[in-house]
Amino acid sequence: MKVFSKVKDLQAHLKSLKNQSVGFVPTMGALHDGHISLMKQSIKRNDVTVCSIFVNPTQFNDKKDLKKYPRTLEKDSRLLEKAKVDILFAPGVKDIYPKGTKHSVKVNLKGLDKQMEGAFRPGHFEGVVQVVHRLLDIVKPDELFMGQKDFQQFTIIQQMIRNLKMKVKLVVCPIEREKDGLAMSSRNRRLTKAKRRDAPIIYKTLKAAKRRMKTKTVQEVVEMSMKELGNPRGYNPEYFSIINGNTLKEIKKWSDSNYLVACVAVWAGEIRLIDNLIL
Ligand code: AMP
């Protein structure tokens, strides 16, 4: 595996790979099997796979979260090597934002950034759009791989690609879960033992919502889910939204859309977890 931290060096290498398709997986590191499933998809579909590891400061609305975000570059590098990723790009903040972090990308997001994560994490998606735009501009991949785990994120990036008429194809990969149902996340390792033990409640509630669709109203399902998610000690749900998966707007009745998704954000002590299920 080739490792680069400088934009120029990466680009010189990519230029030498004539006529090979490039798949790109952007990450913030602290890699787990969810990330690796994206690498595998990219390797299957492309000649060359580039993974980036960059903890992007501009998408953290909470400075404490940024400071505590796990950084495990050496271990990540070994995992990527084992997965047969071709290139690791691990830049610093100055490499990504040589002119400072202020500049923003003008994209019509059609209100996709207004609810859920957008409502509770002000500025988060501006940072995500800014960094993914910059990384795509550097790597110029044929395919971009993102996880369904961050449903609103991939929807917004899809809109950016459409709005700016970018050439890259977005491939969305399913959510990888632990055996007990908890969606894999770099933040899981920061859960206390007790919070980790209670964490399967999130996926259980999502699955219950899918069952309850048959007999309950949307509002009843949302109320029951919020209540259940608040049951374990130290658990505090922020939202449980049943949305139209295209517009990300909350629905009022089941017939409002034929692409329904339940999305959830929960505080488990000091750690904020998100998950979703296509209904
Ligand atoms: P992150 O490092 O958290 O920014 O995630 C990098 C990419 O991995 C994003 O596209 C995520 O949606 C994806 N991802 C994170 N967790 C999972 C998971 N459990 N299953 C599949 N993809 C995931």
Side-chain angles (χ1 to χ4, degrees):
M1 182 172 72
K2 293 230 172 337
V3 183
F4 299 98
S5 62
K6 299 287 164 227
V7 174
K8 258 198 194 152
D9 298 340
L10 171 72
Q11 286 183 324
H13 179 69
L14 287 171
K15 216 174 159 192
S16 72
L17 307 169
K18 287 186 185 97
N19 295 322
Q20 300 204 53
S21 68
V22 175
F24 176 46
V25 189
T27 81
M28 297 204 298
L31 301 179
H32 48 68
D33 282 350
H35 294 116
I36 300 300
S37 73
L38 270 58
M39 310 296 161
K40 286 191 176 146
Q41 270 301 308
S42 173
I43 290 168
K44 205 153 100 187
R45 295 169 58 111
N46 291 280
D47 301 320
V48 176
T49 289
V50 182
C51 166
S52 67
I53 294 183
F54 178 61
V55 182
N56 174 36
T58 70
Q59 72 189 69
F60 284 81
N61 53 313
D62 178 353
K63 289 283 162 283
K64 224 168 63 194
D65 189 28
L66 171 62
K67 204 167 153 220
K68 291 199 172 160
Y69 202 85
R71 288 158 171 89
T72 56
L73 191 58
E74 265 181 41
K75 182 164 175 250
D76 291 348
S77 178
R78 283 198 297 274
L79 286 174
L80 292 172
E81 189 110 42
K82 193 165 154 234
K84 300 203 158 40
V85 165
D86 303 284
I87 299 171
L88 164 59
F89 178 46
V93 175
K94 288 235 163 68
D95 301 298
I96 296 297
Y97 303 118
K99 292 183 189 144
T101 55
K102 286 278 183 285
H103 81 277
S104 63
V105 186
K106 287 248 171 319
V107 185
N108 178 5
L109 291 178
K110 296 190 168 173
L112 293 170
D113 59 336
K114 296 290 176 254
Q115 47 280 326
M116 301 192 290
E117 295 303 284
F120 285 95
R121 301 184 65 188
H124 171 64
F125 286 121
E126 280 102 62
V128 170
V129 165
Q130 178 189 31
V131 76
V132 176
H133 185 273
R134 170 78 174 127
L135 288 167
L136 288 174
D137 192 46
I138 294 169
V139 179
K140 297 190 172 45
D142 298 282
E143 294 192 326
L144 167 67
F145 293 81
M146 299 188 96
Q148 185 206 314
K149 162 91 182 348
D150 298 276
F151 196 93
Q152 191 168 13
Q153 171 170 281
F154 85 70
T155 307
I156 283 173
I157 294 302
Q158 183 68 78
Q159 171 58 21
M160 176 188 85
I161 291 169
R162 228 178 266 143
N163 189 233
L164 302 182
K165 298 189 169 61
M166 298 171 86
K167 279 205 192 100
V168 64
K169 176 185 161 70
L170 175 66
V171 180
V172 179
C173 303
I175 302 174
E176 294 291 320
R177 298 181 178 281
E178 302 289 354
K179 280 201 186 75
D180 62 8
L182 175 64
M184 291 182 177
S185 163
S186 304
R187 289 186 174 88
N188 292 352
R189 67 189 71 188
R190 292 184 48 216
L191 292 168
T192 63
K193 257 202 184 128
K195 300 290 180 296
R196 174 65 190 84
R197 194 189 53 227
D198 290 330
I201 185 74
I202 302 169
Y203 188 44
K204 260 192 207 150
T205 306
L206 286 167
K207 283 193 300 188
K210 189 165 178 161
R211 280 197 310 274
R212 288 167 176 155
M213 283 173 76
K214 294 182 194 110
T215 53
K216 307 277 183 217
T217 66
V218 174
Q219 205 188 339
E220 282 167 345
V221 170
V222 170
E223 278 168 14
M224 291 167 94
S225 306
M226 287 294 278
K227 188 163 174 286
E228 281 169 16
L229 288 164
N231 278 340
R233 199 191 168 90
Y235 269 66
N236 208 348
E238 214 159 51
Y239 63 78
F240 188 97
S241 296
I242 299 178
I243 57 161
N244 171 332
N246 294 312
T247 63
L248 306 187
K249 294 230 161 65
E250 286 187 354
I251 55 142
K252 292 205 166 64
K253 31 186 210 321
W254 298 116
S255 57
D256 281 352
S257 164
N258 52 16
Y259 181 29
L260 296 175
V261 189
C263 297
V264 57
V266 189
W267 285 95
E270 295 197 345
I271 311 303
R272 190 172 179 281
L273 302 174
I274 60 169
D275 199 350
N276 66 79
L277 184 69
I278 296 171
L279 305 176

